[in-house]
Amino acid sequence: MTHRKSRYILYKKECVVFIMQVLKDEIQESILSASQKLFLQHGYEKTSIEKIARQAKISKSNLYNYFKSKDEIFNRLTDKAAHEFRKVIEYFASNQFEPKFNTPGFAEMMANEIFKLVSENREGLLLLVFCAQGTKYENLKSELIDMIANKFKEDYRSYFTDGDNIVLIITQNLFDGITNLTMQSHSDEILRQDLLRFIRYHSKGFVALISD
């Protein structure tokens, strides 16, 4: 076999491998896209592997070549968002941010941090908030709300008691408002503006509450 011919055979093998990898990547992306759509429409528990395979236009047995379970698919769609979500909450809980609460520029800084989070992880966050029942993340929303509420109580302990429900209600409203704006906004610019307005509203309301 000549050197030129052996190089040609090697090149053909590399092309075949490349094409096969592209096809595998496309099928995997099709599965993830179909799963995301079904999870958002029906929730995790009411979405079956059979429905995902049908939506992705592949056989159930072929789907298992890419993902071992529905759990693995959901985790692939949400792990990064969950990590980023926790990181932002922990950032604010640590008091390492600037400007501080109730000082000029705070609302803009907070709105920008939240906008960055939701714009980069929009679908993952929506899955975590609205579709996580039955997954390892089913308690994530309540855990994060409790973390924020407890931080408020700690920072303003002279205004609130441990059993004061108003802080938890305010925190739930803040959390739900942000997720609903994320779901309903039709463009990044509108979302950015709405988040800033919403953070200003909450900041001024909380300042009024602790000023009594």
Side-chain angles (χ1 to χ4, degrees):
M1 183 182 298
T2 65
H3 180 63
R4 179 179 295 179
K5 187 172 182 180
S6 61
R7 285 181 60 189
Y8 175 71
I9 292 173
L10 179 61
Y11 172 75
K12 284 185 66 177
K13 287 181 178 179
E14 289 175 347
C15 287
V16 170
V17 170
F18 174 76
I19 292 170
M20 292 299 294
Q21 186 59 51
V22 168
L23 291 174
K24 286 179 66 176
D25 291 345
E26 288 179 350
I27 293 173
Q28 185 175 82
E29 185 57 37
S30 176
I31 294 169
L32 291 172
S33 178
S35 301
Q36 179 177 284
K37 181 177 180 180
L38 290 170
F39 289 147
L40 288 171
Q41 286 180 342
H42 307 294
Y44 175 83
E45 293 182 314
K46 293 184 178 180
T47 298
S48 65
I49 285 291
E50 289 82 358
K51 288 180 180 178
I52 294 172
R54 193 179 309 121
Q55 182 75 24
K57 295 181 172 57
I58 62 172
S59 68
K60 182 178 173 180
S61 60
N62 193 21
L63 186 149
Y64 281 121
N65 289 324
Y66 295 87
F67 296 99
K68 296 177 182 178
S69 65
K70 188 172 65 169
D71 279 349
E72 186 179 355
I73 297 173
F74 190 87
N75 294 341
R76 176 73 68 86
L77 291 167
T78 55
D79 278 349
K80 178 179 178 294
H83 172 75
E84 296 298 327
F85 215 158
R86 284 195 176 104
K87 191 164 72 172
V88 168
I89 299 300
E90 289 167 359
Y91 171 70
F92 283 109
S94 69
N95 277 339
Q96 295 178 4
F97 56 85
E98 293 287 348
K100 298 299 184 185
F101 176 68
N102 200 25
T103 62
F106 169 80
E108 289 77 6
M109 178 277 297
M110 186 174 180
N112 284 336
E113 290 291 333
I114 295 172
F115 173 77
K116 181 180 178 182
L117 171 69
V118 300
S119 63
E120 294 177 358
N121 303 278
R122 186 186 298 255
E123 287 78 13
L125 291 175
L126 293 178
L127 287 171
L128 289 169
V129 172
F130 297 111
C131 311
Q133 186 66 36
T135 77
K136 68 178 183 180
Y137 292 122
E138 63 181 0
N139 296 317
L140 179 64
K141 177 181 175 180
S142 60
E143 289 170 4
L144 294 178
I145 288 174
D146 286 344
M147 187 185 300
I148 300 169
N150 290 335
K151 182 59 180 174
F152 279 142
K153 289 180 182 179
E154 179 185 335
D155 289 349
Y156 300 95
R157 62 174 63 90
S158 60
Y159 297 94
F160 307 109
T161 63
D162 287 340
D164 200 335
N165 290 327
I166 188 67
V167 178
L168 184 59
I169 292 170
I170 290 170
T171 308
Q172 287 173 333
N173 180 264
L174 174 64
F175 196 98
D176 290 341
I178 290 170
T179 52
N180 283 324
L181 287 174
T182 301
M183 184 170 60
Q184 296 174 16
S185 294
H186 300 298
S187 72
D188 283 350
E189 187 56 36
I190 291 174
L191 177 59
R192 187 190 294 273
Q193 293 173 3
D194 286 347
L195 285 172
L196 178 57
R197 293 163 66 197
F198 189 66
I199 297 302
R200 283 174 174 167
Y201 160 80
H202 259 274
S203 297
K204 290 180 179 179
F206 194 79
V207 169
L209 185 65
I210 61 176
S211 298
D212 292 341

